[in-house]
Amino acid sequence: MPAKQAIARSLLINGTCLRCIRRTTAPRRRAVRLLSTTTLRRDGIAAQEIDFDKLPPPDPTKARIIPTSPSYFTTFPEYTDDLVHLEYLSKKFSAVPSLTPAAAPRVTWKTLGQYRTQVRELVSPSKYNKVVRALQQLNRIHPALMPPEVKRQIEIHRRAIDPLANKAAPGEIDEFGRAQAQGRRKSSRATVFLVEGEGEVLINGKNLAEAFGRIHDRESAIWALKATGRTDKYNIWATVHGGGTTGQAESITLAVAKALMVHEPALKPALRRAGCVTRDPRRVERKKPGRLKARKMPTWVKR
């Protein structure tokens, strides 16, 4: 004991701790992981093998109903199934020869309201556009090579009444050589009789300068003849009522173009390029309550 105390005292005097010496000199022991190859313990924990032949018959009242559609729990299951099927057909027959969009047969698809009734879901317009794009891609397949399942899908989504089949009755020239046509613009309605002549214009019993004071309105009234170079070949007799001068002049333009196509049907492409064939549906927007005009708001004053 005195010898050990003397050694410890000498170490303390030198600034060395006995515990530090033990920590540094003692060898470190590594953790040894014991591996067992016996299966006794594992066999005792594992469940026994199930023999399905000895199981009792299942109770139908406890069965879980599985929906037929894989997208049953989505927002629009029927729409999703329809879109997925159309996209599947597009990928499946992508290698089949197809036509250009301009050469493909024209098909009028169902409207958004009709499609909502078909799938019984409130489908948004953006989602329905995806269906239409997929149908247009399938419709470009060559008609001679179109598979039956693609034809079936096109017939399902085709509109029952095709508006493209409705054609206007052809105009006729009466015994006096006149072609009659009507035109509308805003609140104006014009009836025009076009006959071959020297280029005279009579509107409501007045000549062109008396009927319209503005030069722009005068040119608009005879724009169909001016665009085709027929100003000095036909006479115009028109009756127009309703609206203002601009609406009346543009309604005469449409009526003259229709009557001119009765005399010369080959001028339709030229008249279409001149913008005389299509009826302009624009109207003045109504005034809203609380506003000065259709959209103009009163001046905001802070105090």
Side-chain angles (χ1 to χ4, degrees), residues 222-258:
I222 60 173
W223 176 245
L225 298 177
K226 195 172 183 179
T228 55
R230 304 293 194 277
T231 308
D232 301 332
K233 188 178 179 181
Y234 293 97
N235 293 341
I236 299 175
W237 184 81
T239 56
V240 60
H241 62 276
T245 56
T246 302
Q248 290 181 356
E250 295 185 3
S251 63
I252 293 174
T253 304
L254 180 61
V256 170
K258 290 181 178 179

Side-chain angles (χ1 to χ4, degrees), residues 190-264:
T191 303
V192 169
F193 292 89
L194 192 69
V195 64
E196 294 185 5
E198 298 80 18
E200 298 180 1
V201 179
L202 198 64
I203 301 173
N204 289 343
K206 304 176 183 179
N207 58 24
L208 191 61
E210 294 176 355
F212 300 110
R214 296 175 57 202
I215 298 177
H216 178 74
D217 294 337
R218 299 175 190 172
E219 293 182 353
S220 296
I222 60 173
W223 176 245
L225 298 177
K226 195 172 183 179
T228 55
R230 304 293 194 277
T231 308
D232 301 332
K233 188 178 179 181
Y234 293 97
N235 293 341
I236 299 175
W237 184 81
T239 56
V240 60
H241 62 276
T245 56
T246 302
Q248 290 181 356
E250 295 185 3
S251 63
I252 293 174
T253 304
L254 180 61
V256 170
K258 290 181 178 179
L260 184 58
M261 286 189 294
V262 175
H263 283 280
E264 301 182 42

Side-chain angles (χ1 to χ4, degrees), residues 59-293:
D59 188 0
T61 59
K62 298 180 180 180
R64 183 171 65 90
I65 300 176
I66 301 177
T68 56
S69 172
S71 58
Y72 176 79
F73 296 101
T74 60
T75 308
F76 304 119
E78 295 190 13
Y79 159 78
T80 305
D81 293 342
D82 191 15
L83 180 60
V84 169
H85 184 58
L86 292 175
E87 291 179 348
Y88 166 74
L89 293 178
S90 300
K91 293 180 181 179
K92 181 179 179 181
F93 302 107
S94 59
V96 180
S98 59
L99 305 174
T100 60
R106 299 181 65 183
V107 178
T108 306
W109 310 112
K110 291 184 177 180
T111 61
L112 179 60
Q114 294 173 347
Y115 185 76
R116 286 175 175 176
T117 305
Q118 176 182 334
V119 298
R120 301 187 298 276
E121 296 172 0
L122 193 62
V123 182
S124 62
S126 59
K127 292 182 179 294
Y128 180 59
N129 289 337
K130 297 180 181 179
V131 175
V132 173
R133 285 195 293 269
L135 289 170
Q136 290 174 348
Q137 185 175 356
L138 293 174
N139 189 46
R140 287 197 291 269
I141 298 177
H142 198 281
L145 305 174
M146 185 174 292
E149 46 188 334
V150 175
K151 293 182 180 179
R152 192 181 309 110
Q153 290 298 323
I154 291 177
E155 291 299 326
I156 291 174
H157 296 85
R158 187 195 299 268
R159 197 181 302 183
I161 300 176
D162 188 7
L164 300 176
N166 300 332
K167 296 182 180 180
E172 298 179 356
I173 300 176
D174 59 8
E175 64 273 12
F176 302 104
R178 301 175 304 180
Q180 180 182 359
Q182 293 183 351
R184 297 181 182 181
R185 175 73 173 97
K186 296 183 180 179
S187 301
S188 304
R189 296 186 179 184
T191 303
V192 169
F193 292 89
L194 192 69
V195 64
E196 294 185 5
E198 298 80 18
E200 298 180 1
V201 179
L202 198 64
I203 301 173
N204 289 343
K206 304 176 183 179
N207 58 24
L208 191 61
E210 294 176 355
F212 300 110
R214 296 175 57 202
I215 298 177
H216 178 74
D217 294 337
R218 299 175 190 172
E219 293 182 353
S220 296
I222 60 173
W223 176 245
L225 298 177
K226 195 172 183 179
T228 55
R230 304 293 194 277
T231 308
D232 301 332
K233 188 178 179 181
Y234 293 97
N235 293 341
I236 299 175
W237 184 81
T239 56
V240 60
H241 62 276
T245 56
T246 302
Q248 290 181 356
E250 295 185 3
S251 63
I252 293 174
T253 304
L254 180 61
V256 170
K258 290 181 178 179
L260 184 58
M261 286 189 294
V262 175
H263 283 280
E264 301 182 42
L267 293 178
K268 184 174 182 179
L271 292 171
R272 185 174 295 279
R273 288 193 299 269
C276 303
V277 177
T278 305
R279 196 250 200 243
D280 193 350
R282 296 178 298 175
R283 299 181 66 89
V284 177
E285 190 174 350
R286 67 173 292 269
K287 181 187 177 299
K288 279 80 172 182
R291 301 192 178 188
L292 300 180
K293 295 196 298 183

